[in-house]
Each structure stands twice: as structure tokens, then as C-alpha cells.
């Protein structure tokens, strides 16, 4: 029997969701509460990264994605600082509407006592603001500054610093903005408990707990710590290969997905790949790391900003529709012996065939912002063993999640891609004219095979 896509247990997912109310969660780099729901009709989720390049640390590209997996180039060489380098760029959107990046200003071989700042109104055109000298006595290097916006609205930067007496031993420090223009900063305060020889520290806050992910520079593993105060003391509770990510990993950055899971991105600099891994149980366990399509091997150390924006796909609910393949225009969804296939349907097709190609669109069973689909017998479209099929709703949370899909913009005008709610990055797509749920590989062919246009119902 075909194995289902790997995922945590459903009970684990439910516990995680219950523990992560949107009003109680703040993500590093975002000025407000996290978004843990499918975007409403007409809106879209948008993730943005601004990485420096494996081949060039003098400039950064801007990429965007609607699923935190398939990042597409928005602009190459979007920002080049007036002098020095740009590495480890961290992005957030401030309350004034501008996007800000902070970054390492020198290559790793050189002393670097400054961190850089730039801003943009549109994520594409950037203006250099200033280089800030971190005021630490005998500072040798200030690396990997990361934005963190606390639940009180304060804007902070976590920066890894070393001193001349031991230039390769880094300690994370907190800088807090003392004005809304982000031009003046408090004196640096070391994060107590994380200690020296840790770099690339990234924070999120859930409820009253601060969660830190930080690279141990001796073991080259990403470690995990918690604290009840921003400056600590932090308790490091996970060390070594505790999450199965391996060694020679750095640059951890977290973002919460639409279904409430947390996705960690990290730079596999030891093997030249960029990875992601998901957690549904407040960071206790993680999915096996997988390389990001498209940007892996090109992008280096980045953080992610998530927004809900206008211009997403629109699909009316409580109406009947047929669904036409975007790249095989004579073929449509059709239920055949409870399975969803993609046969040719024309005006000459039988009444039974037209009825089997007609579906009622309803609000998602697991998330009303998503979508579920009923056939003429009242059964729901769901995935099972990778295959798309129709079954009676058994009332369980497992079924509700299996039968819920999040709408993403398709490749053709008016077309939609349907992402599995409980397997992020897996999409309904056709293969040999059968509908399956497969993980996106980032290719144009996959995007076309997973794009379908809602049209007037055949029956």
C-alpha cells in the first residue's frame, strides 16, 4: 500500500493548534499577531525573503511565495549597499508601512563592527539608511542581525557579536530601538543563558514564553532554548541532533503557516542546500528536513516575513462549479468509482458524465477560509494515500483536514491551485489524468498540472 505523506499525529496537531491562538502569538519580524488561518476569498498569503547569494554577497535578491515553499524571483539584485557587503539580511514590516532590512556589512573573513539598515515601500526598490556601529568595547565582529518585534510593540535586533580577544566566539546581544524611526538604539544587552559560542539566534514569542533557535558554533547544530523574559535567562533544552536536521546548519528562521504549523528554514552551508522543516507541537518534534525547490543552492541566510494581501483567488461558496485543467483545456475534474480523474468532457458527454463533473463548493470543513468540495451524492473530496477521492464525511477532525484545501493563484488567468490544508506544500495535481496530492517541486510543469479553472457547471 502506498504510504501517506509523513506528518505528525492528528492529536499532536490538535494540541498544537489549541496552544497557538493567533492573538497570543507574535513572530519575529512581524509587528502584529501571527496569521494562522487560510486567507479569505480575494486575498492571498505572501511570504517574502531577501537572501544574499551563494555566488555574491554584495547584493540581495527578493523572492516571494504564497505557500512558504515555492519562492519565485520578484527582483534580482534588488539592493546593493553603497559600500561593503550584504549578508544575512533580516526583513520585517514596520508600523509606518515600510519594509526594513538589517544585515551583516562585511564578508566573514573581515572584522565587522557595524550592521546595515535599508528600507523599501514596495520590497523591490530599497534605500540605504545607515551603517550602525554596535557599541561593544573591543568589538571584532557583529554578525547576523535578526529583527524581533515583542508583544508590547517594541522593535528589537538580536545580533551576534565577538570581541578582539576571541574573534570567533560569538554571543547574542539585544538592541532595542529607542525611537520609531529606528535610528537610535539602546545599549547592547547579552541574552543571558544562551552564552558564548552561539550565533544566528532567532526568536519567536508564544504567549508569555520566548523561544530561541541558535547555532552552536562548536557542534554546528541548531539548539533550542526558552525564557520568560526577552533578555533571559534562557534555558537550552535541546542540543545535538535533537530535531534530525543534522550538523553544519545555520541561520534558523521561523514562520507560522496558514494551518498553524511552524516552518523553520535553515542554511545547510555544509552541503550547499537550503532546508525547511515543520512542527505541529510547539517545537517538540519536526518533520524530516527537505530542500527548498528553486532557491536551494542559490539563496543564503534569510528570514521570512508573512502578510495577507489583496489580489488572491476568488471562488464563490455554496454554488456548483466544474473544474477545467489549465493546461489541458478539454479535460475536467470527474468522479469515477469514487476517485477523482481528469477525462475529456464535452457537450456531447452523457448526462451522467456531466453530473460526475459537477461539484458544490463549500467552506472548508477544517477552516472556513479554505474550501471543500461535494459531489452529487454528497461525498467530499479528500486525499488518501496521495490519491484524490470522494468519501462520506465521518465527522472526524482527520477527515475535515483531509477534505480542506487552501486556494492559491494558478498559472492561467482565473485558475486556482488547491493546497492540502494538513500537508502544506502538497497540491491537487493531475498525473496520467488522475488527480493526486503531491508536493510541489517548484517547476512550471508542476504549477501548470496543479492549476484548475472554475467554470460554469456541466450539470
Amino acid at each position: 500500500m502506498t504510504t501517506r505523506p509523513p506528518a505528525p499525529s492528528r492529536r499532536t496537531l490538535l494540541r498544537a493548534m489549541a496552544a497557538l491562538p493567533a492573538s497570543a502569538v507574535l513572530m519575529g519580524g512581524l509587528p502584529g499577531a501571527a496569521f494562522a488561518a487560510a486567507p479569505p476569498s480575494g486575498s492571498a498569503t505572501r511570504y517574502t525573503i531577501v537572501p544574499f547569494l551563494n555566488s555574491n554577497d554584495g547584493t540581495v535578491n527578493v523572492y516571494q511565495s504564497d505557500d512558504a515553499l515555492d519562492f519565485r524571483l520578484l527582483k534580482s539584485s534588488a539592493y546593493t549597499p553603497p559600500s561593503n557587503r550584504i549578508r544575512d539580511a533580516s526583513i520585517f514590516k514596520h508600523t509606518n508601512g515600510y519594509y526594513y532590512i538589517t544585515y551583516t556589512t562585511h564578508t566573514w573573513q573581515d572584522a565587522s563592527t557595524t550592521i546595515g539598515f535599508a528600507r523599501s515601500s514596495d520590497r523591490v526598490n530599497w534605500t540605504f539608511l545607515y551603517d550602525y556601529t554596535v557599541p561593544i568595547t573591543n568589538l571584532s565582529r557583529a554578525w547576523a542581525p535578526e529583527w524581533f518585534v515583542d508583544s508590547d510593540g517594541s522593535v528589537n535586533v538580536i545580533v551576534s557579536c565577538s570581541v578582539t580577544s576571541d574573534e570567533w566566539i560569538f554571543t547574542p546581544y539585544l538592541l532595542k530601538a529607542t525611537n520609531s524611526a529606528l535610528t537610535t538604539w539602546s545599549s547592547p544587552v547579552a541574552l543571558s543563558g544562551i552564552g558564548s559560542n552561539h550565533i544566528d539566534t532567532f526568536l519567536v514569542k508564544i504567549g508569555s514564553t520566548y523561544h530561541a533557535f541558535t547555532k552552536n558554533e562548536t557542534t554546528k547544530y541548531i539548539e533550542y532554548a526558552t525564557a520568560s523574559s526577552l533578555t533571559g535567562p534562557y534555558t537550552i533544552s535541546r542540543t545535538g541532533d535533537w530535531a534530525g536536521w543534522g550538523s553544519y546548519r545555520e541561520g534558523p528562521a521561523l514562520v507560522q503557516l496558514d494551518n498553524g504549523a511552524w516552518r523553520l528554514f535553515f542554511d545547510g552551508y555544509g552541503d550547499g542546500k537550503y532546508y525547511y522543516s515543520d512542527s505541529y507541537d510547539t517545537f517538540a518534534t519536526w518533520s524530516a528536513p527537505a530542500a527548498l525547490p528553486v532557491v536551494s543552492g542559490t539563496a543564503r541566510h534569510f528570514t521570512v516575513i508573512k502578510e495577507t494581501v489583496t489580489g488572491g483567488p476568488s471562488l464563490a461558496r455554496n454554488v456548483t462549479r466544474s473544474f477545467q485543467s489549465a493546461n489541458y483545456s478539454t479535460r475536467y475534474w470527474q468522479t469515477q468509482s469514487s476517485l477523482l480523474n481528469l477525462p475529456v468532457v464535452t457537450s456531447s458527454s452523457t448526462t451522467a458524465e456531466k453530473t460526475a463533473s459537477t461539484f458544490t463548493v463549500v467552506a472548508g470543513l477544517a477552516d472556513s477560509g479554505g474550501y471543500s468540495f461535494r459531489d452529487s451524492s454528497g461525498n467530499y473530496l479528500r486525499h488518501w494515500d496521495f490519491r484524490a477521492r470522494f468519501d462520506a464525511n465521518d465527522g472526524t477532525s482527520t477527515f475535515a483536514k483531509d477534505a480542506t484545501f487552501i486556494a492559491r493563484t494558478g498559472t492561467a488567468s482565473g485558475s486556482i491551485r488547491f493546497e492540502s490544508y494538513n500537508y502544506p506544500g502538497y497540491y491537487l495535481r493531475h498525473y496520467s489524468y488522475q488527480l493526486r496530492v503531491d508536493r510541489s517541486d517548484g517547476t512550471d510543469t508542476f504549477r501548470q498540472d496543479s492549476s484548475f479553472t472554475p467554470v460554469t457547471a456541466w450539470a
Side-chain angles (χ1 to χ4, degrees):
M1 178 179 290
T2 305
T3 304
R4 289 172 66 87
S9 71
R10 310 301 179 168
R11 284 177 293 179
T12 297
L13 174 60
L14 289 174
R15 287 197 300 269
M17 291 295 288
L20 293 173
S23 61
V25 181
L26 188 83
M27 296 193 296
L30 288 182
F35 308 106
S41 181
S43 296
T45 301
R46 185 174 72 191
Y47 304 87
T48 303
I49 61 175
V50 187
F52 78 99
L53 309 180
N54 194 45
S55 60
N56 184 1
D57 66 357
T59 190
V60 289
N61 289 351
V62 178
Y63 298 85
Q64 66 181 19
S65 170
D66 57 6
D67 61 6
L69 177 65
D70 185 3
F71 284 92
R72 296 282 161 146
L73 182 65
L74 182 62
K75 186 176 181 179
S76 62
S77 299
Y79 172 66
T80 301
S83 61
N84 302 319
R85 318 308 290 169
I86 177 167
R87 301 170 66 91
D88 317 323
S90 179
I91 183 173
F92 96 112
K93 188 176 183 180
H94 197 17
T95 53
N96 61 8
Y98 281 93
Y99 300 88
Y100 287 77
I101 54 173
T102 181
Y103 53 91
T104 305
T105 57
H106 290 74
T107 191
W108 68 271
Q109 297 99 328
D110 299 333
S112 175
T113 60
T114 61
I115 55 176
F117 291 87
R119 76 175 188 176
S120 170
S121 62
D122 58 7
R123 303 173 301 134
V124 172
N125 301 291
W126 293 85
T127 299
F128 171 74
L129 295 177
Y130 60 96
D131 286 339
Y132 177 73
T133 300
V134 179
I136 293 177
T137 302
N138 298 321
L139 179 65
S140 173
R141 285 169 171 80
W143 281 5
E146 315 275 8
W147 294 109
F148 175 74
V149 183
D150 208 343
S151 51
D152 62 2
S154 62
V155 178
N156 305 273
V157 169
I158 311 299
V159 59
S160 301
C161 296
S162 69
V163 294
T164 53
S165 60
D166 207 336
E167 61 182 348
W168 300 115
I169 301 298
F170 289 86
T171 299
Y173 284 84
L174 171 78
L175 303 173
K176 179 175 290 189
T178 56
N179 66 354
S180 61
L182 309 182
T183 56
T184 59
W185 300 88
S186 67
S187 297
V189 176
L191 297 187
S192 172
I194 294 179
S196 61
N197 213 31
H198 287 85
I199 196 170
D200 298 351
T201 301
F202 188 93
L203 300 180
V204 296
K205 187 180 184 184
I206 301 175
S208 60
T209 301
Y210 296 87
H211 301 257
F213 292 79
T214 184
K215 178 195 175 188
N216 183 311
E217 273 286 36
T218 298
T219 66
K220 311 302 181 183
Y221 288 113
I222 295 172
E223 299 181 341
Y224 169 70
T226 55
S228 58
S229 171
L230 175 56
T231 55
Y234 285 84
T235 299
I236 298 177
S237 59
R238 298 289 187 271
T239 61
D241 195 17
W242 65 279
W245 299 324
S247 186
Y248 290 88
R249 307 296 191 234
E250 65 184 15
L254 281 160
V255 70
Q256 194 174 34
L257 304 179
D258 286 340
N259 71 349
W262 288 92
R263 176 159 292 173
L264 184 89
F265 300 92
F266 55 90
D267 189 342
Y269 68 101
D271 55 28
K273 296 180 181 179
Y274 220 102
Y275 293 94
Y276 71 96
S277 178
D278 296 344
S279 177
Y280 288 82
D281 53 9
T282 320
F283 315 139
T285 60
W286 294 84
S287 65
L292 283 169
V294 183
V295 299
S296 182
T298 298
R300 296 293 310 277
H301 191 165
F302 58 76
T303 65
V304 188
I305 183 174
K306 179 183 180 182
E307 303 171 89
T308 299
V309 297
T310 59
S314 296
L315 180 59
R317 296 177 175 86
N318 302 313
V319 297
T320 57
R321 290 288 183 268
S322 293
F323 292 87
Q324 180 185 40
S325 169
N327 57 347
Y328 290 89
S329 60
T330 62
R331 293 181 176 272
Y332 296 78
W333 289 9
Q334 186 179 99
T335 179
Q336 298 176 342
S337 300
S338 297
L339 299 176
L340 185 62
N341 293 324
L342 196 73
V344 172
V345 182
T346 70
S347 58
S348 301
S349 297
T350 67
T351 299
E353 290 171 333
K354 292 178 179 178
T355 298
S357 302
T358 297
F359 306 93
T360 302
V361 182
V362 297
L365 297 182
D367 184 329
S368 61
Y371 295 90
S372 293
F373 306 91
R374 286 199 309 260
D375 65 11
S376 60
S377 64
N379 290 332
Y380 284 85
L381 173 65
R382 56 91 61 92
H383 61 80
W384 178 259
D385 285 345
F386 295 99
R387 194 68 162 87
R389 56 176 293 119
F390 284 84
D391 288 318
N393 183 1
D394 63 10
T396 64
S397 61
T398 296
F399 187 96
K401 294 178 178 66
D402 286 351
T404 298
F405 298 87
I406 298 176
R408 308 296 189 194
T409 301
T411 56
S413 177
S415 68
I416 299 174
R417 304 172 69 215
F418 293 102
E419 183 185 17
S420 168
Y421 177 79
N422 54 347
Y423 295 109
Y426 285 75
Y427 285 83
L428 278 173
R429 59 85 60 95
H430 64 78
Y431 186 84
S432 295
Y433 306 127
Q434 297 177 345
L435 271 291
R436 302 168 47 84
V437 173
D438 286 336
R439 182 161 58 186
S440 172
D441 62 9
T443 63
D444 290 339
T445 296
F446 185 97
R447 292 174 65 87
Q448 293 162 6
D449 287 350
S450 59
S451 295
F452 303 93
T453 304
V455 296
T456 301
W458 277 107

